[in-house]
Amino acid sequence: MALGHVASRIDTAPDPDGVMSTMGTELNRLEVNSLVALLKPGSQDLAIQYLSFESKTITLVEKLVKIKMSDYRLTPERYYFYQENIFDRRPIFTTEPILNVRTMLPGIPDGIIRQVGRSIGVKPETKGIYLPLIAEEKVLGTLWMWGENLEESDLPAASVFATQVAVALENARLYTITQQLAITDDLTGFYNRRGIFELGRREVERSLRFDHDLSAIMIDIDHFKLVNDAHGHSVGDEVLQQLADRWREALRGIDIMGRYGGEEFLVLLPESGLSTAKRVAERMRQRVVDVPFYTSVGEVSITMSLGVALLSGKIMSLEELIEDADKALYKAKRAGRNRVAVLGE
């Protein structure tokens, strides 16, 4: 009944991380710890995706074993029950989960192993259940549960629960992909216009609420129609794809890059004032104009104009911020193109 309640909660989670986090929180209420490791595509290795402990506990374990959880891989040799769990797809019950901890950490002294075990709640009286995560006949990975109150008679219910977790994970993954496709530009991989406005409005709201800087860069490729007219749209697409790759190298993970339309692009820079945004814009410009693009018809060179604007007291919406960036862009064009312009400078 308790696992059924947990399963009903995870069905409402909107993404895979939400599924695992909800599952872990609910299992902790039953005094059961948990770990989820998923198979890497095209590999037999499992990557740890979730561990039901506070970040300080995970950090302590990482310091003890000198391995980052995000980098750690569970190979068939490092997972005591890999054959039964992943290959044979069988649930496992054990009264000695410390054996698995020891197998996971070859070469680590026994004293450290015991300390790691205590940190994650593996005591002499702890029992463990290891469950394959199977959805649509495909093994996604494994779910581990351990605690003092688990019994071998729990295996049937736990196996049903693991199936529900696997289905919830797969559904959430597919939903996330569908949502991402709906707001992503196919050619460049940047956000499309819809994605820009969805994420941009949230960023504007956050910046206004916490009084943080937010800058925008509006970009237009100079005379890009000439490239399409001279070489065809397929070559133009090659240029845009390479251009997107160069810009990714110039931006941070928190920056929002979108294809606003045709050859127009918009970048939102959280926590960035005008001077920073101007430097970023110049860096983006140089990455495009300094090196030609190598296409199926040979080298193609382009330039671009960029306008920079800042969210300020007189601007209270994303639309107004974009409008100011657009005005700055046309200022750059009027000044001769192939340059960065800031409104008011």
Side-chain angles (χ1 to χ4, degrees):
M1 288 175 64
L3 289 179
H5 170 72
V6 177
S8 68
R9 293 295 305 276
I10 64 175
D11 276 341
T12 63
D15 53 50
D17 288 340
V19 169
M20 292 182 284
S21 178
T22 302
M23 177 204 71
T25 300
E26 294 297 321
L27 286 176
N28 280 344
R29 297 182 196 277
L30 306 176
E31 298 182 351
V32 174
N33 298 305
S34 58
L35 175 148
V36 174
L38 301 180
L39 283 165
K40 299 290 289 180
S43 170
Q44 292 185 344
D45 294 354
L46 292 153
I48 296 174
Q49 303 292 330
Y50 178 77
L51 191 57
S52 63
F53 294 94
E54 294 181 358
S55 57
K56 63 181 181 182
T57 300
I58 296 174
T59 300
L60 172 61
V61 171
E62 290 176 336
K63 286 182 179 178
L64 287 171
V65 300
K66 297 180 172 57
I67 301 171
K68 293 283 289 182
M69 287 296 108
S70 57
D71 298 331
Y72 183 78
R73 296 293 177 265
L74 274 170
T75 63
E77 298 76 27
R78 287 181 177 175
Y79 178 20
Y80 193 79
F81 301 108
Y82 193 103
Q83 175 67 42
E84 297 93 330
N85 211 202
I86 303 300
F87 287 149
D88 299 338
R89 304 185 174 196
R90 287 199 294 114
I92 303 295
F93 174 82
T94 179
T95 57
E96 295 184 286
I98 193 67
L99 289 175
N100 192 49
V101 178
R102 188 170 286 115
T103 307
M104 287 176 65
L105 303 169
I108 302 293
D110 278 352
I112 299 295
I113 295 291
R114 288 192 294 272
Q115 195 172 349
V116 169
R118 287 194 299 270
S119 299
I120 61 173
V122 177
K123 306 171 186 175
E125 59 272 27
T126 300
K127 287 154 282 189
I129 290 178
Y130 300 84
L131 303 154
L133 292 170
I134 303 171
E136 298 181 356
E137 299 301 316
K138 181 176 71 174
V139 177
L140 307 181
T142 182
L143 165 62
W144 301 354
M145 302 191 299
W146 64 97
E148 296 177 27
N149 300 320
L150 296 175
E151 301 294 343
E152 192 164 9
S153 58
D154 294 326
L155 272 181
S159 296
V160 172
F161 173 67
T163 299
Q164 293 170 311
V165 171
V167 170
L169 281 172
E170 185 66 2
N171 288 343
R173 184 185 71 83
L174 294 173
Y175 177 77
T176 300
I177 290 173
T178 302
Q179 292 295 100
Q180 191 66 27
L181 288 174
I183 61 172
T184 303
D185 174 59
D186 290 340
L187 183 66
T188 62
F190 292 149
Y191 292 108
N192 58 22
R193 196 182 183 95
R194 174 182 169 184
I196 291 170
F197 279 91
E198 278 191 21
L199 276 71
R201 286 183 178 125
R202 288 182 220 161
E203 202 57 54
V204 166
E205 181 185 342
R206 189 187 71 83
S207 297
L208 292 173
R209 185 167 66 248
F210 296 107
D211 194 26
H212 290 176
D213 282 337
L214 174 66
S215 293
I217 305 172
M218 183 67 83
I219 308 162
D220 183 61
I221 303 174
D222 297 329
H223 306 300
F224 194 64
K225 184 177 182 297
L226 298 178
V227 174
N228 288 325
D229 289 346
H231 305 294
H233 285 277
S234 62
V235 172
D237 288 350
E238 290 177 46
V239 172
L240 291 180
Q241 287 172 326
Q242 293 180 45
L243 176 146
D245 291 337
R246 293 187 192 183
W247 280 348
R248 285 189 185 92
E249 296 173 358
L251 297 171
R252 305 166 299 173
I254 64 171
D255 298 330
I256 298 170
M257 182 78 216
R259 189 176 182 187
Y260 197 69
E263 58 269 15
E264 276 195 329
F265 297 85
L266 178 71
V267 186
L268 296 177
L269 302 170
E271 312 292 339
S272 298
L274 270 180
S275 58
T276 299
K278 189 175 179 180
R279 285 196 303 270
V280 172
E282 183 58 32
R283 187 163 67 237
M284 294 177 71
R285 188 191 69 82
Q286 289 178 345
R287 283 181 183 262
V288 166
V289 303
D290 288 353
V291 181
F293 295 89
Y294 299 95
T295 74
S296 54
V297 298
E299 294 184 3
V300 173
S301 296
I302 59 172
T303 64
M304 60 185 195
S305 304
L306 305 92
V308 179
L310 175 71
L311 190 71
S312 61
K314 67 183 182 66
I315 300 176
M316 301 301 290
S317 70
L318 176 65
E319 288 78 4
E320 291 173 316
L321 178 61
I322 291 173
E323 184 180 347
D324 270 14
D326 203 41
K327 289 177 181 176
L329 168 64
Y330 279 95
K331 177 182 175 183
K333 288 183 175 183
R334 288 194 300 271
R337 302 180 188 266
N338 190 24
R339 68 193 65 224
V340 176
V342 180
L343 205 62
E345 286 189 0

